[in-house]
């Protein structure tokens, strides 16, 4: 697949799974051997089922969640992208009860595409900023 095909796969996955809240589409975009390095370090299972659990939790906590892709760069089978997540916490986020607060969180991900699907990913987001926006951690200054 070309770098443009790989970028299109990432764009479609974000739009379909997150923005359209279509968890059934995960199997279309996530490889059976998928590893999310950040989620697996936290104990989440690998493969499409792990993605379904993690994304389902996010959509429960933020039912109006929407990602906007700000930048995307691809080389070979790797796509790096920066996005902004926006949403209102209306459900529990792990042990954090609903706050009703709106958040805007920067996320940076790197994914490896294999056979037209996301096989591996690394991601980092502004979790401190998220906790501050939810009112759980005081802002600095």
């Amino acid at each position: 697949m070309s770098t443009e095909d790989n970028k299109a796969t990432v764009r479609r996955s974000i739009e379909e799974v997150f923005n359209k809240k279509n968890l059934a589409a995960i199997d279309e975009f996530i490889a059976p051997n998928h590893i999310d390095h950040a989620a697996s370090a936290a104990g989440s299972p690998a493969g499409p089922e792990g993605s379904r659990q993690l994304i389902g939790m996010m959509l429960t906590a933020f039912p109006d969640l929407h990602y906007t892709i700000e930048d995307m760069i691809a080389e070979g089978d790797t796509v790096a992208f920066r996005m902004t997540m926006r949403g209102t916490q209306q459900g529990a986020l792990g042990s954090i009860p609903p706050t009703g607060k709106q958040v805007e969180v920067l996320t940076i991900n790197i994914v490896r595409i294999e056979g037209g699907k996301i096989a591996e990913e690394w991601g980092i987001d502004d979790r401190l900023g998220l906790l501050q926006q939810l009112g759980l951690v005081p802002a600095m200054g």
Side-chain angles (χ1 to χ4, degrees), residues 26 30-37 39-41 43-53 118-119:
I26 286 175
I30 301 295
N33 61 339
H34 172 263
I35 298 171
D36 180 334
H37 292 278
S40 64
S44 182
E49 188 51 38
S51 295
R52 205 174 335 277
Q53 288 176 17
I118 299 169

Side-chain angles (χ1 to χ4, degrees), residues 21-136:
K21 286 104 175 108
N22 181 2
L23 293 179
I26 286 175
D27 293 322
E28 179 183 341
F29 298 106
I30 301 295
N33 61 339
H34 172 263
I35 298 171
D36 180 334
H37 292 278
S40 64
S44 182
E49 188 51 38
S51 295
R52 205 174 335 277
Q53 288 176 17
L54 184 62
I55 296 167
M57 179 190 72
M58 289 298 296
L59 293 175
T60 297
F62 300 95
D64 62 343
L65 180 141
H66 188 274
Y67 277 105
T68 302
I69 297 173
E70 309 291 352
D71 293 300
M72 186 175 285
I73 301 166
E75 183 174 322
D77 63 357
T78 303
V79 180
F81 53 105
R82 179 176 63 92
M83 340 182 259
T84 304
M85 181 202 89
R86 293 175 180 86
T88 309
Q89 191 206 7
Q90 298 174 18
L93 178 61
S95 63
I96 303 169
T99 63
K101 295 188 177 182
Q102 293 182 341
V103 298
E104 184 173 296
V105 179
L106 176 65
T107 300
I108 298 173
N109 287 349
I110 301 170
V111 300
R112 186 178 60 79
I113 307 292
E114 181 178 286
K117 293 186 177 190
I118 299 169
E120 201 169 8
E121 64 183 290
W122 300 262
I124 189 162
D125 51 30
D126 181 10
R127 292 187 186 166
L128 175 59
L130 171 66
L131 294 174
Q132 288 173 332
Q133 291 173 64
L134 292 177
L136 302 171

Side-chain angles (χ1 to χ4, degrees), residues 10-29:
V10 171
R11 278 191 197 94
R12 285 193 334 271
S13 71
I14 298 299
E15 186 59 32
E16 191 63 35
V17 175
F18 288 97
N19 293 344
K20 292 184 179 177
K21 286 104 175 108
N22 181 2
L23 293 179
I26 286 175
D27 293 322
E28 179 183 341
F29 298 106

